[in-house]
Amino acid sequence: MNVERHPLPWHAPPALPAQPWPKQQPAVSFIVCTRDRLAVLEACIDSIRAACRAHPAFAAELVVVDNGSRDGTAEYLSAAAATSDITLTAVSLARPGLAAARNAGLARARGRVLVFVDDDCRLDGNYLVDLERHYASGDKWLIRGGRVEIGDTRDLPFTIKRCDKREVLTQAVHPGGFVLGCNMTMHREVAALIGPFDERFGAGGALRSAEDTDYLVRAMLAGMAVEYVPDMTIFHHHGRRDREAVDRLHRDYHFGNGALCLKHLGRAPWLLRHFYWAARAALRELAGGPRFDGDLSLSHWPIVLMNLAGAAKFAFLVLARRPPRQARSAQQTTEAGVEVSAP
């Protein structure tokens, strides 16, 4: 098989390839973003290949976005492509950030169904069988996520989703973690309608996390369903085995969620209810109430404090991008003059 390396300039706008599709369009594109994690990336790619071999009738491709790795990832991808039984496209993106990497993957993917898988995850052998069954209904205007299990019993039970029944996201449930970005699928028309990931969010971005949650909220605001199914299983080898590592991630998640709440305040004010409930739970915790996660000893207080900090950071980013008042006034005057003089 071939490997294509596509260096992307930092300003390249994420876009999906234009229709009509060539006859060899794959049914599914797996999009994997990676940075300096060759050890886990190899196992991830091997699991994707194995799942494709188990269901060869469902044609697949693999798009790997190398987000500035310096650990031999580029060389590995070139060598792996020579023996790959599915098309492997390697995208080189020097600009850091998971959201930017996801956008670079979107720009190269050709499949009818797009599957985002993190580089520290491994697919269940029946993944494609489950995926094809769910998408056979023809209902494409939704985002669908699957089950996320712990891949190594030494890792703490965090960033997993083990519900045993199908669920649809409602405003009564916080969207964070409802569908995990390490196992998120959608029809390409959904991605084309929602647009690129917000690159202020996500690991490596200013807001640290929640690029996937932001995508879910935008889907809901566009009138689409967000669905979790208890199969389409992946195994997450996240490697976090001490409480300190989990606590850092816990804080980063809620930093991004605070920014998310402010970003969508006008169109999704229901997100404020979740902040209120977290603040109420934090106060109850002071009076001896339950913690956010008793098994991992995670408190509600980081949720509240990091939500506020994330909202403040988002406000700063918005204000920092606004031109000075005099410049805005001059721009408005110029625009008005052009409008008046137009025939």
Side-chain angles (χ1 to χ4, degrees):
M1 291 292 172
N2 67 306
V3 59
E4 307 168 36
R5 296 201 64 81
H6 300 280
L8 292 178
W10 69 268
H11 59 277
L16 298 177
Q19 293 186 9
W21 307 114
K23 292 181 179 179
Q24 66 271 24
Q25 181 200 3
V28 60
S29 294
F30 290 99
I31 301 173
V32 179
C33 304
T34 190
R35 179 181 172 89
D36 289 330
R37 298 215 287 185
L38 180 56
V40 293
L41 176 65
E42 292 185 51
C44 175
I45 290 178
D46 287 346
S47 75
I48 292 174
R49 288 174 176 166
C52 293
R53 285 195 297 270
H55 193 39
F58 205 43
E61 69 169 358
L62 173 57
V63 179
V64 182
V65 182
D66 179 7
N67 200 196
S69 297
R70 293 182 246 178
D71 62 350
T73 293
E75 293 77 11
Y76 160 73
L77 291 174
S78 295
T83 58
S84 178
D85 38 14
I86 61 173
T87 300
L88 192 158
T89 300
V91 179
S92 178
L93 181 70
R95 181 164 48 100
L98 178 56
R102 291 194 192 277
N103 286 335
L106 279 177
R108 298 299 180 188
R110 299 179 299 120
R112 294 190 299 273
V113 176
L114 309 175
V115 180
F116 289 94
V117 179
D118 281 3
D119 60 1
D120 57 359
C121 294
R122 301 177 194 177
L123 266 62
D124 178 77
N126 291 321
Y127 190 94
L128 279 176
V129 176
D130 296 334
L131 182 78
E132 184 179 31
R133 183 179 69 257
H134 288 299
Y135 279 94
S137 67
D139 183 9
K140 64 184 178 183
W141 297 111
L142 80 169
I143 291 178
R144 178 179 285 121
R147 191 181 192 94
V148 180
E149 289 280 1
I150 279 287
D152 189 323
T153 56
R154 295 173 294 175
D155 296 346
L156 292 174
F158 200 61
T159 60
I160 58 175
K161 176 109 180 187
R162 289 170 163 168
C163 297
D164 292 326
K165 62 180 181 179
R166 176 182 173 273
E167 298 176 328
V168 176
L169 180 60
T170 68
Q171 295 179 6
V173 178
H174 194 283
F178 184 84
V179 164
L180 296 178
C182 63
N183 188 9
M184 182 169 68
T185 75
M186 66 194 76
H187 204 282
R188 64 179 305 106
E189 272 86 348
V190 169
L193 181 62
I194 298 176
F197 288 84
D198 188 333
E199 296 183 8
R200 295 170 294 187
F201 291 86
L207 300 171
R208 306 183 192 175
S209 68
E211 86 293 338
D212 48 357
T213 310
D214 174 66
Y215 218 73
L216 302 185
V217 173
R218 288 159 60 191
M220 293 180 71
L221 292 174
M224 299 183 200
V226 176
E227 177 185 71
Y228 164 82
V229 292
D231 47 22
M232 278 173 39
T233 303
I234 64 101
F235 299 91
H236 197 181
H237 294 254
H238 61 70
R240 297 177 181 89
R241 297 171 184 173
D242 60 80
R243 187 190 174 281
E244 183 179 352
V246 169
D247 187 61
R248 284 196 302 270
L249 189 60
H250 177 59
R251 292 172 181 271
D252 284 350
Y253 281 166
H254 294 291
F255 187 83
N257 285 340
L260 181 82
C261 185
L262 186 57
K263 174 184 176 179
H264 296 291
L265 184 61
R267 298 185 63 202
W270 47 269
L271 288 170
L272 276 176
R273 290 184 299 185
H274 299 287
F275 174 77
Y276 165 73
W277 290 334
R280 187 175 62 180
L283 292 173
R284 289 177 176 172
E285 187 179 316
L286 285 179
R291 298 172 73 85
F292 173 74
D293 189 318
D295 294 336
L296 295 176
S297 192
L298 296 176
S299 170
H300 289 95
W301 281 103
I303 300 175
V304 176
L305 299 177
M306 297 308 289
N307 274 184
L308 293 172
K313 180 69 173 184
F314 182 82
F316 171 79
L317 292 174
V318 171
L319 292 174
R321 291 185 59 186
R322 296 181 66 189
R325 182 174 180 179
Q326 290 181 343
R328 291 201 306 272
S329 298
Q331 181 182 8
Q332 291 168 357
T333 301
T334 301
E335 291 173 352
V338 170
E339 184 177 349
V340 167
S341 62

